[in-house]
């Protein structure tokens, strides 16, 4: 393990979440296995790749996460694929990280877990803690969490702590709490063990498709884009693939510290005090994993893209109406970013491109109802007339 801040290096130790010297973020560096091959693997989902996931686990807390479909576009572009992470057990990719982090917590005999969240980490942490039979606290920005996500945490039985302020305020509180009170295990993505689960997105893409040219990822706290890049990188090291796709990060206009820095060619982002976007899952002004994300983007020869809320909602609707796939607004940023990348000639339409659709549309019912649809109050006796009018175009 290596500290990103002070460069301190130590042998892999599952107890370590932050640097024991300076409290900085740690990176887990996995020794490449000899004779690794996908054909020897058994099972499905995240734990299919257990050989590539460091740590030792007394018991595995799993709800069959991962093994999500890679759906080929049928009406937007035949070279475009959607990795639909919305089909994980709680409806987002967070489950891939949570199975590893909660299994770690249980193996280390923790009885209590905590997570700050814009909603999906909370839903996932609540479910996995419930499955493990341990207590969970979640810290949410009050009034800023999509209804489906809040409802999940209520159902799974977490203690819900709501703060006045943004996700960043909640995140700071959890980080401080963990530093002061070591008996509560943190499930945010500053916990590098979570990213070890999330990297399996890369493994599944390679097993099914081979190496795409581009992978486009919505970026919030910025752990996932790094985790996926790390997965590709580890496959290069074991000799399964010989190149890494370009990692392209997408952020929303009102919450784009990393993308702004990349676009301006700056090495460090300017954090944003009051981030705002309809894509609540990535409504983050101070991404804790920014160093890791910048590295993934730069070392893969990728870039970053900024999209507006109206482009996000348009993309969400296009994805639903052209492909039949329902993704939450944060996930739709990947498609909005793809359209922009094609337009700006960052990506060619002939290149094989995978969009990471991070979460399910049912997470955020309010956003779905913003899509325009005809809703007509009818007298049942007039339905026939209305349908014929619609079909013949006279009511349009
Ligand atoms: C968490 C989340 C993201 C952002 O992932 P990071 O690792 O924080 O960058 C994007 N979309 C959805 C739906 C999420 O839940
Ligand atoms: Zn350090």
């Amino acid at each position: 393990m290596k500290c990103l801040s002070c460069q301190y290096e130590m042998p892999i130790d599952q107890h370590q979440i932050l640097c024991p010297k300076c409290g900085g973020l740690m990176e887990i560096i996995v020794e490449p296995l000899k004779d690794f091959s996908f054909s020897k693997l058994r099972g499905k989902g995240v734990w299919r790749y257990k050989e590539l996931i460091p740590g030792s686990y007394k018991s595995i807390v799993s709800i069959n996460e991962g093994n999500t479909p890679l759906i080929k576009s049928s009406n937007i572009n035949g070279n475009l694929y959607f990795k639909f992470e919305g089909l994980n057990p709680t409806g987002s990719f967070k489950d891939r990280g949570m199975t590893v982090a909660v299994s770690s917590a249980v193996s280390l005999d923790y009885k209590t877990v905590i997570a700050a969240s814009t909603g999906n980490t909370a839903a996932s942490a609540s479910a996995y803690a419930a499955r493990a039979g341990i207590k969970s606290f979640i810290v949410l920005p009050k009034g800023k969490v999509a209804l489906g996500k809040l409802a999940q945490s209520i159902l799974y039985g977490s203690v819900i702590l709501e703060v006045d302020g943004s996700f960043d305020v909640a995140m700071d509180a959890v980080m401080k709490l963990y530093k002061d009170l070591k008996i509560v295990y943190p499930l945010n993505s500053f916990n590098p063990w979570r990213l070890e689960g999330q990297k399996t997105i890369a493994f599944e893409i390679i097993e099914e498709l081979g190496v795409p040219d581009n992978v486009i990822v919505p970026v919030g706290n910025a752990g996932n884009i790094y985790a996926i890049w790390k997965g590709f990188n580890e496959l290069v090291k074991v000799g399964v693939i010989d190149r890494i796709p370009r990692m392209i990060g997408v952020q929303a206009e009102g919450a784009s510290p990393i993308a702004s820095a990349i676009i301006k060619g700056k090495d460090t982002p300017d954090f944003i005090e009051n981030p705002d976007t309809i894509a609540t899952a990535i409504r983050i002004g101070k991404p804790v994993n920014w160093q890791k994300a910048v590295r993934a983007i730069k070392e893969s020869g990728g870039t970053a893209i900024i999209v507006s809320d109206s482009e996000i909602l348009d993309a969400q609707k296009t994805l639903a109406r052209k492909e039949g796939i329902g993704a939450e607004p944060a996930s739709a940023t990947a498609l909005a970013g793809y359209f922009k990348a094609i337009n700006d000639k960052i990506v060619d339409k002939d290149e094989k491109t995978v969009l990471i659709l991070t979460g399910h549309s049912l997470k955020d019912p309010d956003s779905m109802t913003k899509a325009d649809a005809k809703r007509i109050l009818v007298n049942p006796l007039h339905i026939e007339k209305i349908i014929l009018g619609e079909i013949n175009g006279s009511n349009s």
Side-chain angles (χ1 to χ4, degrees), residues 132-154:
I134 59 178
K135 195 165 181 72
S136 57
F137 292 88
I138 57 173
V139 188
L140 303 177
K142 187 172 166 53
K144 300 295 181 189
V145 175
L147 182 61
K149 307 176 188 182
L150 179 62
Q152 285 179 293
S153 291
I154 293 171

Side-chain angles (χ1 to χ4, degrees), residues 3 19 25 37 54 64 104 151 172 183 191 245 284 295 304 392:
C3 174
C19 173
L25 260 64
S37 144
N64 295 18
S104 242
D172 284 349
I183 57 169
N191 179 336
I284 294 174
R295 183 161 154 225
N392 298 325

Side-chain angles (χ1 to χ4, degrees), residues 259-325:
S260 301
I262 296 276
I263 290 165
K264 289 182 197 144
K266 286 175 55 176
D267 284 337
T268 48
D270 295 320
F271 291 152
I272 294 168
E273 246 358 281
N274 295 302
D276 197 21
T277 165
I278 183 130
T280 52
I282 53 171
R283 192 176 182 278
I284 294 174
K286 301 181 202 166
V288 288
N289 293 298
W290 69 266
Q291 286 165 293
K292 291 182 175 180
V294 166
R295 183 161 154 225
I297 289 169
K298 286 197 171 164
E299 288 194 20
S300 68
T303 187
I305 295 169
I306 297 173
V307 294
S308 69
D309 278 5
S310 70
E311 289 168 324
I312 294 170
L313 287 175
D314 280 350
Q316 185 189 28
K317 200 164 79 179
T318 300
L319 186 64
R321 296 187 183 183
K322 289 210 184 264
E323 303 287 357
I325 299 172

Side-chain angles (χ1 to χ4, degrees), residues 223-260:
N224 205 35
I225 191 168
Y226 163 84
I228 298 170
W229 171 79
K230 185 176 197 281
F232 289 128
N233 215 20
E234 288 176 9
L235 292 183
V236 168
K237 287 189 182 144
V238 296
V240 169
I241 56 174
D242 57 8
R243 66 191 174 94
I244 289 177
R246 291 198 296 162
M247 303 299 300
I248 300 176
V250 188
Q251 293 199 298
E253 212 163 54
S256 59
I258 294 176
S260 301

